[in-house]
Amino acid sequence: DTGVSQDPRHKITKRGQNVTFRCDPISEHNRLYWYRQTLGQGPEFLTYFQNEAQLEKSRLLSDRFSAERPKGSFSTLEIQRTEQGDSAMYLCASSPEEGAAFFGQGTRLTVV
Amino acid sequence: AQSVAQPEDQVNVAEGNPLTVKCTYSVSGNPYLFWYVQYPNRGLQFLLKYITGDNLVKGSYGFEAEFNKSQTSFHLKKPSALVSDSALYFCAVRRNAGNMLTFGGGTRLMVKP
């Protein structure tokens, strides 16, 4: 499978715990995006990498959220001290310089 | 700032009839425009894009979209709807020199047999 891969697909965590999600983009894509989507809503932009550089972060991304893309390959999104409001689908996408973004299946986070 | 509006929460159409899902956008500079489809509990699937060239672009599964610069619109169309087209459709825009892809709120398409 040469698409965008996200792991895990589902995560249930207790409030206050830390969680980390992984995204493996399409190998030749230099751009990588993280989005958050709640039920019935459009995806909301969180952050963007070009190669290993994090070039843009949304104001939605609080200090509890951090993302990395070491060596410009896979990326991780960590949420510290999770809150119930963090419950959502977290989507990763990758794209070449000028083309469309291709999305992974997402990681559904439930904070209980 | 850039934004996308999808004015219809839901579009209902009978199988075999043409369908249109509306999208208008606001962006500085030249827009890159995209349509995605989402099935339940799945990620977004790319349908088609407009970057430059012909205003009518064709995409996957028989869908097409028309870029109208004067009306800042990028409506999604299909000549003959299928029941299997029933899903959530999202329009998105990016500035040609920008990084962030901004999505509309989505339109649920219901195709009835």
Side-chain angles (χ1 to χ4, degrees):
Chain A
D1 187 353
T2 57
V4 177
S5 177
Q6 291 188 245
D7 181 70
R9 293 288 309 276
H10 304 274
K11 179 70 177 179
I12 300 175
T13 190
K14 291 183 178 179
R15 189 174 50 188
Q17 297 295 305
N18 299 345
V19 294
T20 300
F21 308 142
R22 177 181 171 121
C23 172
D24 287 274
I26 295 171
S27 58
E28 59 268 28
H29 288 178
N30 61 353
R31 295 182 171 213
L32 187 147
Y33 308 81
W34 284 100
Y35 283 81
R36 180 170 66 189
Q37 186 181 26
T38 52
L39 196 63
Q41 303 296 315
E44 297 174 304
F45 172 79
L46 292 179
T47 191
Y48 157 77
F49 291 85
Q50 181 149 339
N51 300 312
E52 67 275 10
Q54 188 174 18
L55 297 185
E56 200 161 345
K57 288 174 63 173
S58 167
R59 285 169 289 178
L60 293 174
L61 214 62
S62 77
D63 291 344
R64 298 184 295 106
F65 287 71
S66 63
E68 294 182 341
R69 193 184 182 194
K71 303 179 183 178
S73 56
F74 72 92
S75 175
T76 58
L77 178 69
E78 181 183 17
I79 309 174
Q80 296 181 328
R81 305 181 303 282
T82 52
E83 302 172 356
Q84 286 189 323
D86 297 332
S87 295
M89 176 77 87
Y90 289 84
L91 297 168
C92 177
S94 68
S95 76
E97 189 71 26
E98 293 294 327
F102 288 86
F103 283 78
Q105 300 281 34
T107 294
R108 182 169 296 284
L109 173 66
T110 303
V111 182
V112 298
Chain B
Q2 57 196 46
S3 64
V4 176
Q6 293 182 242
E8 302 153 316
D9 289 337
Q10 182 160 317
V11 169
N12 297 311
V13 65
E15 186 175 31
N17 283 0
L19 69 88
T20 299
V21 182
K22 295 179 180 177
C23 170
T24 58
Y25 66 90
S26 174
V27 70
S28 58
N30 294 323
Y32 287 4
L33 294 156
F34 306 86
W35 275 101
Y36 289 84
V37 60
Q38 188 174 37
Y39 296 96
N41 298 313
R42 303 292 296 275
L44 279 74
Q45 295 179 30
F46 168 71
L47 278 180
L48 51 79
K49 68 179 185 286
Y50 171 82
I51 292 179
T52 187
D54 290 341
N55 290 342
L56 184 65
V57 294
K58 296 185 183 296
S60 306
Y61 312 119
F63 284 93
E64 57 189 29
E66 186 167 11
F67 170 62
N68 187 316
K69 188 172 183 178
S70 63
Q71 297 185 2
T72 61
S73 67
F74 189 57
H75 301 330
L76 181 70
K77 300 181 180 183
K78 187 173 182 181
S80 179
L82 299 173
V83 173
S84 57
D85 292 330
S86 299
L88 196 53
Y89 289 80
F90 292 97
C91 181
V93 67
R94 176 166 72 89
R95 287 186 299 120
N96 62 344
N99 304 321
M100 187 172 71
L101 192 60
T102 299
F103 284 84
T107 298
R108 184 166 302 282
L109 175 66
M110 299 290 291
V111 182
K112 298 184 179 178

